[in-house]
């Protein structure tokens, strides 16, 4: 009897997965573009470091670490925000409903007295690991780009 | 005396819209314990030659030998370590890292080589005293004058006690009095175990070197020894 409802929920779940995956892809590209701009802005500094004998692997390490620090701290911040949001989701719904005088998640449509929310530590752990791994992977490209810079051009033209 | 740095048939071409031959089969032997000045008009190849000697750039043809050991320009890591240990570079535009203090700018060169922060800071403080800038240790490059920045650059160049000091127009952007002070610091670095080469447009400073070299048509000519 409820097969169409379960089917709709399944579709919704898949769509949510695709949307969230796309958000992660966009975030990953943000890290790449942010680091690439940083490398571009620091071209002269990288050239100076090379001229005093700093090894390419050290330069890779610097930019790689920046990417990892950004990714890890953003993941931690995101988890804190997400968990807080999940805990207080009902309070938030009530606040938004009363403030803007709109009916959010109406009981008569969803047949639920309050907005459901579940904090799943395994999911949080898996999502954190995935985010950090993606950050590590996307930080590699700008880091190698920094190490490949030609110091002569940078010192001459910057 | 045996030559420490041997340049043999060095050519350097730049392939822009048309091929520019900056250095043409340049050969010269440099000895330790001497200061060499490199003169020549703009575009004569002074900076290019210094970039080749500092192993930042590679020649199109020819070979460079340090202490009878030929440089392999394909060994980037080895050359970077060699540069950190044996070569100190001073540029015209001081080229200090703007986000670091004078002290940090100096000790970074030692830190990258020895990975010992305490040692690096101790050496950097000693060098700041040597260039008379102890009171400017915590100042950023934007808070230093041109002469002070150049003195910091010199301190950074010598923190690893290099056997070769290369200065590309170190006094080029300074007034005469400040330039004289900076040049005196450079001159005081002369020792029997060190080779100093500086490029300059200024005949006054060029004449103070032990050997005056002139870049002519992509080659180098010894004016006096």
């Amino acid at each position: 009897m409820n097969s169409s409802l379960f089917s709709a929920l399944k579709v919704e779940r898949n769509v949510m997965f695709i949307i969230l995956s796309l958000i992660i892809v966009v975030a990953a590209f943000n890290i790449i573009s942010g680091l690439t701009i940083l490398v571009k802005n620091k071209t002269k500094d990288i050239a100076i470091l090379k001229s005093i004998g700093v090894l390419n692997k050290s330069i890779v390490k610097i930019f790689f670490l920046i990417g990892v620090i950004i990714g890890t701290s953003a993941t931690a911040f995101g988890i804190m925000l997400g968990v807080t949001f999940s805990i207080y989701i009902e309070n938030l719904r009530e606040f938004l409903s009363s403030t803007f005088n709109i009916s959010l998640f109406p009981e008569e449509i969803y047949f639920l007295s309050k907005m459901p929310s579940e904090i799943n530590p395994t999911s949080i752990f898996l999502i954190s690991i995935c985010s950090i791994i993606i950050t590590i992977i996307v930080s590699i490209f700008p880091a190698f780009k920094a190490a490949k810079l030609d110091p002569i051009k940078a010192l001459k033209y910057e | 005396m045996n030559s420490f740095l041997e340049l043999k048939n060095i050519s350097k071409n730049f392939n822009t819209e048309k091929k520019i031959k900056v250095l043409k089969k340049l050969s010269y032997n440099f000895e330790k314990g001497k200061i060499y000045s490199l003169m020549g008009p703009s575009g004569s190849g002074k900076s290019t030659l210094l970039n080749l000697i500092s192993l930042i750039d590679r020649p199109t043809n020819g070979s460079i030998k340090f202490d009878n050991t030929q440089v392999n320009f394909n060994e980037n890591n080895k050359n970077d370590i060699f540069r950190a240990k044996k070569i100190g570079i001073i540029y015209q535009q001081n080229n200090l890292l703007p986000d670091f203090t004078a002290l940090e700018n100096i000790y970074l060169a030692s830190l990258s080589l020895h990975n010992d922060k305490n040692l690096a800071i101790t050496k950097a403080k000693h060098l700041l005293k040597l260039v008379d800038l102890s009171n400017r240790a915590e100042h950023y490059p934007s808070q230093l004058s041109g002469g002070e920045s150049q003195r910091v650059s010199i301190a950074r160049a010598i923190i690893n006690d290099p056997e070769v000091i290369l200065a590309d127009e170190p006094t080029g952007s300074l007034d005469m009095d400040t330039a004289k002070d900076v040049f005196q610091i450079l001159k005081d670095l002369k020792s029997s175990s060190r080779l100093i080469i500086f490029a300059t447009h200024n005949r006054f400073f060029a004449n103070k070197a032990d050997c005056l070299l002139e870049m002519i048509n992509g080659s180098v000519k010894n004016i006096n020894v």
Side-chain angles (χ1 to χ4, degrees), chain A residues 19-54:
Chain A
I19 290 169
L20 290 175
S21 301
L22 285 174
I23 288 172
I24 289 175
V25 170
V26 171
F29 274 100
N30 261 333
I31 293 175
I32 292 183
S33 59
L35 280 180
T36 307
I37 290 166
L38 185 69
V39 169
K40 178 95 184 76
N41 289 342
K42 296 285 177 190
T43 301
K44 194 180 175 187
D45 294 8
I46 296 165
I48 293 169
L49 289 175
K50 283 190 172 192
S51 74
I52 61 171
V54 173

Side-chain angles (χ1 to χ4, degrees), chain A residues 115-140:
Chain A
M115 195 176 255
S117 160
E118 184 195 343
I119 297 168
N120 184 338
T122 315
S123 297
I124 291 173
F125 177 73
L126 284 175
I127 290 165
S128 311
I129 295 293
C130 283
S131 305
I132 291 168
I133 288 172
I134 290 168
T135 310
I136 288 171
I137 292 168
V138 298
S139 300
I140 292 170

Side-chain angles (χ1 to χ4, degrees), chain A residues 16-148:
Chain A
M16 281 306 288
F17 176 77
I18 292 167
I19 290 169
L20 290 175
S21 301
L22 285 174
I23 288 172
I24 289 175
V25 170
V26 171
F29 274 100
N30 261 333
I31 293 175
I32 292 183
S33 59
L35 280 180
T36 307
I37 290 166
L38 185 69
V39 169
K40 178 95 184 76
N41 289 342
K42 296 285 177 190
T43 301
K44 194 180 175 187
D45 294 8
I46 296 165
I48 293 169
L49 289 175
K50 283 190 172 192
S51 74
I52 61 171
V54 173
L55 299 177
N56 279 347
K57 67 175 181 186
S58 303
I59 291 167
V60 169
K61 225 186 271 178
I62 292 168
F63 286 93
F64 180 67
L65 274 177
I66 292 171
V68 170
I69 289 167
I70 291 171
T72 311
S73 48
T75 303
F77 182 71
I79 288 168
M80 277 195 315
L81 203 68
V83 169
T84 313
F85 199 77
S86 299
I87 293 169
Y88 296 104
I89 188 75
E90 183 54 25
N91 304 49
L92 191 70
R93 185 188 70 84
E94 281 170 8
F95 170 74
L96 290 173
S97 299
S98 61
T99 308
F100 297 105
N101 201 20
I102 49 170
S103 175
L104 283 173
F105 204 72
E107 199 178 331
E108 56 275 20
I109 295 173
Y110 290 95
F111 304 110
L112 290 166
S113 58
K114 61 175 189 175
M115 195 176 255
S117 160
E118 184 195 343
I119 297 168
N120 184 338
T122 315
S123 297
I124 291 173
F125 177 73
L126 284 175
I127 290 165
S128 311
I129 295 293
C130 283
S131 305
I132 291 168
I133 288 172
I134 290 168
T135 310
I136 288 171
I137 292 168
V138 298
S139 300
I140 292 170
F141 305 108
F144 274 98
K145 200 178 170 191
K148 276 185 183 169

Side-chain angles (χ1 to χ4, degrees), chain B residues 149-169:
Chain B
S149 296
Q150 206 57 314
R151 275 143 68 191
V152 172
S153 295
I154 293 174
R156 181 180 65 184
I158 59 172
I159 192 164
N160 291 327
D161 198 17
E163 290 176 51
V164 183
I165 293 176
L166 304 171
D168 193 355
E169 300 190 35

